[in-house]
Amino acid sequence: MSASETIGWRHIHDEVFRRISEREWKPGDQIPKETELAEEFDCARATVSRALRQLADDGFLDRRRKGGTRVALNPARKATLDIPITRLEVETRGAEYSYRLLECRVAPLPTITARRMRLPENTDALHVRTLHLADYEPFMYEDRWINKDLFPDDLFLDFSDVNANEWLIQNAHYTSGDIAFMAENASELEADFLDVNAGAAIFVIQRTTWNGDTSVTSVKLSYGLGFQIETRI
Amino acid sequence: MSASETIGWRHIHDEVFRRISEREWKPGDQIPKETELAEEFDCARATVSRALRQLADDGFLDRRRKGGTRVALNPARKATLDIPITRLEVETRGAEYSYRLLECRVAPLPTITARRMRLPENTDALHVRTLHLADYEPFMYEDRWINKDLFPDDLFLDFSDVNANEWLIQNAHYTSGDIAFMAENASELEADFLDVNAGAAIFVIQRTTWNGDTSVTSVKLSYGLGFQIETRI
DNA sequence: TAGTGGTCTAGACCACCCT
DNA sequence: GGGTGGTCTAGACCACTAC
């Protein structure tokens, strides 16, 4: 009858989502148990489970053994966003990507960075500063510290030939990381590199990555004017 | 033997994740098919599928019928973050939450907002401006427009007694939304309300929500100094 | 302690899409 | 066309936790 009808677990997912959206089931309400829904939709319990798990993963339901399934109090409170990969970010905007290596040398970690990486103060690390360009205009300024234990001593001398970012993607895998987004007034250094006025509001991403308990790298990305991160929820 | 050993689909998930992390399987590599892994781990194919689906959802694997499963080229490129609920955000910091309603009246939508909400220009909407406070210090300035079709005409007169945000959570459910994060220099108005210098870098969240094809609300949240969003990847 | 969701199985069929 | 992942089933047992 209906021209387009979803089938399978997605059908149950969509129907439950509809009941939540249209407030047939309100935040905090307990919804029917899996076996009851399986009976209503005439399918196996596992199929209902698949649908409800998806909704729970997306933050629309709260599920508890014995406690049953309830509509979440704060619906759609989670957003997934892609962590920008600079090259792709630039190319997506239809611009040509390039970069300029500003510095690449071993130096003692600043106190605050050492703390972020949980390394002793004054530990030597590889300091890499890069300016990323879109169509040869400044796009993002990157200030990165890399744990020196990650590579042989004689390797980093050749860093001028590779983008540290790309090298890391190739070689410095990580299992987890902290990431923070914030706004800052451009320092004179940043303003100079990004070609904005000193004090301009710039979007900053601060990220530290880990391989198990070993810190891999800590990086601060300062984006030029107009940069924003978008996503859907 | 080993003191703590993960069991079930998580065991497979963790083992595959380890092989990806430690580069036994490199980005772009095709990994064994489900039936082979099921044999290796001595379990049903559905269990393997559960583990691999999780890894695919998290962005570590790319899966295609017939094409098989491959290690994603950009591992861990997704971050999930909680959309801040102002009251909770403030209370989490151990501060007392309060707010001040600055304005609440019907007015024509600004052009840019109308475009965001896909409504005709000059459409009337409810304009609500609120200052959110943490321990009676400015925390965030909220500039919100609400689709007037959502509530009876005689309701909004009483808005001074309720937080528009809370009212929306209670009454204006939505099915999807756009959200963007950016940095801006504080306008004089924002600087005044947030008690910062004009031009200070402030973190801004711009969000528009939808209920099906109907726009619900479009809001700009301007956060005070030092605000940042943190998450783990 | 009993009820609910979480997980697993062994098998089956289907949908997609690479070759 | 054929191989791979996607989904479903009917049943079973387990783990957590509200009561």
Side-chain angles (χ1 to χ4, degrees):
Chain A
M1 296 301 165
S2 73
S4 68
E5 186 172 329
T6 318
I7 53 170
W9 68 268
R10 290 175 188 282
H11 170 60
I12 302 171
H13 172 281
D14 292 350
E15 173 59 17
V16 171
F17 183 66
R18 188 194 62 76
R19 293 178 190 178
I20 295 171
S21 297
E22 301 186 2
R23 310 215 118 217
E24 292 180 23
W25 293 340
K26 299 185 179 63
D29 282 1
Q30 193 164 59
I31 77 171
K33 56 193 87 166
E34 291 189 344
T35 48
E36 291 172 359
L37 288 173
E39 193 173 354
E40 175 187 342
F41 291 103
D42 190 29
C43 68
R45 182 169 77 97
T47 306
V48 173
S49 188
R50 177 75 182 84
L52 297 188
R53 179 157 42 74
Q54 189 68 49
L55 287 161
D57 284 349
D58 292 342
F60 294 105
L61 293 176
D62 284 333
R63 315 193 73 198
R64 288 185 170 181
R65 285 163 152 129
K66 166 71 178 179
T69 300
R70 291 172 178 278
V71 179
L73 290 170
N74 304 118
R77 64 192 186 285
K78 290 178 181 172
T80 16
L81 51 83
D82 294 343
I83 296 171
I85 310 271
T86 308
R87 173 189 291 277
L88 298 178
E89 184 78 11
V90 168
E91 288 173 352
T92 299
R93 294 162 185 237
E96 184 180 346
Y97 171 77
S98 58
Y99 70 94
R100 231 174 76 209
L101 187 69
L102 304 171
E103 178 184 358
C104 180
R105 62 187 185 86
V106 174
L109 283 169
T111 306
I112 192 168
T113 309
R115 198 170 302 153
R116 278 205 194 90
M117 300 177 77
R118 288 179 219 147
L119 291 171
E121 290 192 32
N122 292 317
T123 305
D124 274 346
L126 182 64
H127 191 200
V128 182
R129 297 188 303 121
T130 314
L131 183 65
H132 299 261
L133 308 157
D135 280 344
Y136 306 99
E137 297 288 329
F139 176 75
M140 185 264 284
Y141 169 72
E142 167 183 338
D143 189 317
R144 182 186 291 274
W145 292 87
I146 306 172
N147 190 334
K148 217 161 71 72
D149 299 338
L150 288 176
F151 39 78
D153 282 345
D154 55 347
L155 179 66
F156 59 81
L157 296 171
D158 299 329
F159 240 118
S160 51
D161 290 311
V162 261
N163 181 331
N165 211 0
E166 308 266 340
W167 182 88
L168 282 164
I169 287 177
Q170 295 292 328
N171 298 280
H173 49 282
Y174 57 90
T175 54
S176 67
D178 308 304
I179 189 165
F181 307 89
M182 64 201 89
E184 283 186 7
N185 289 102
S187 65
E188 285 196 26
L189 185 77
E190 290 166 330
D192 192 34
F193 282 124
L194 293 173
D195 199 19
V196 299
N197 295 326
I202 54 176
F203 193 90
V204 173
I205 300 179
Q206 173 77 53
R207 185 172 57 194
T208 306
T209 53
W210 304 83
N211 193 14
D213 292 332
T214 310
S215 57
V216 175
T217 180
S218 184
V219 62
K220 176 183 175 182
L221 310 176
S222 307
Y223 289 85
L225 286 186
F227 179 82
Q228 61 183 56
I229 291 187
E230 299 168 5
T231 188
R232 292 190 59 78
I233 52 179
Chain B
M1 296 300 165
S2 74
S4 67
E5 187 172 328
T6 318
I7 54 171
W9 68 268
R10 290 175 188 282
H11 171 61
I12 302 171
H13 172 280
D14 291 350
E15 174 59 16
V16 171
F17 183 65
R18 188 193 63 76
R19 292 178 190 177
I20 295 170
S21 297
E22 300 186 2
R23 311 214 118 220
E24 291 178 23
W25 293 340
K26 298 185 180 61
D29 283 1
Q30 192 163 55
I31 77 172
K33 57 192 88 167
E34 290 189 346
T35 49
E36 292 172 357
L37 288 172
E39 193 173 354
E40 174 188 342
F41 290 104
D42 190 29
C43 67
R45 181 168 78 95
T47 306
V48 173
S49 188
R50 177 74 182 85
L52 298 188
R53 179 159 39 76
Q54 188 67 51
L55 287 160
D57 284 348
D58 292 343
F60 294 105
L61 293 177
D62 284 333
R63 315 195 73 194
R64 287 184 173 182
R65 284 162 155 131
K66 167 70 179 177
T69 300
R70 293 173 178 277
V71 179
L73 290 170
N74 305 118
R77 63 192 187 286
K78 290 177 182 171
T80 35
L81 50 83
D82 294 340
I83 295 171
I85 310 270
T86 307
R87 173 189 289 280
L88 298 177
E89 183 79 10
V90 168
E91 290 173 349
T92 299
R93 294 162 186 237
E96 185 181 346
Y97 171 77
S98 58
Y99 71 95
R100 232 174 75 209
L101 187 68
L102 304 171
E103 179 183 356
C104 180
R105 62 188 185 89
V106 174
L109 283 169
T111 306
I112 192 168
T113 308
R115 199 170 299 152
R116 279 205 194 92
M117 299 177 78
R118 288 179 217 146
L119 290 172
E121 289 193 32
N122 292 317
T123 306
D124 273 346
L126 183 63
H127 190 199
V128 182
R129 298 188 303 120
T130 315
L131 183 64
H132 299 261
L133 308 158
D135 280 344
Y136 305 100
E137 296 289 328
F139 176 74
M140 185 264 282
Y141 169 73
E142 168 183 340
D143 189 319
R144 181 186 292 275
W145 292 87
I146 305 173
N147 191 332
K148 217 161 72 70
D149 299 339
L150 289 175
F151 40 78
D153 282 346
D154 55 348
L155 180 65
F156 58 80
L157 296 170
D158 299 329
F159 240 116
S160 52
D161 291 311
V162 260
N163 182 332
N165 211 0
E166 308 267 339
W167 182 88
L168 283 164
I169 288 178
Q170 295 292 329
N171 298 280
H173 49 284
Y174 57 89
T175 54
S176 66
D178 307 305
I179 189 166
F181 307 88
M182 64 201 87
E184 283 186 5
N185 289 101
S187 66
E188 285 195 27
L189 184 78
E190 290 166 330
D192 192 32
F193 282 125
L194 292 173
D195 198 21
V196 299
N197 295 325
I202 53 177
F203 192 90
V204 173
I205 299 178
Q206 173 77 53
R207 185 172 56 193
T208 305
T209 53
W210 304 83
N211 193 15
D213 292 333
T214 310
S215 57
V216 176
T217 179
S218 184
V219 62
K220 176 183 176 182
L221 310 177
S222 306
Y223 288 87
L225 287 185
F227 178 82
Q228 60 183 55
I229 290 187
E230 301 169 3
T231 188
R232 293 190 59 77
I233 52 178

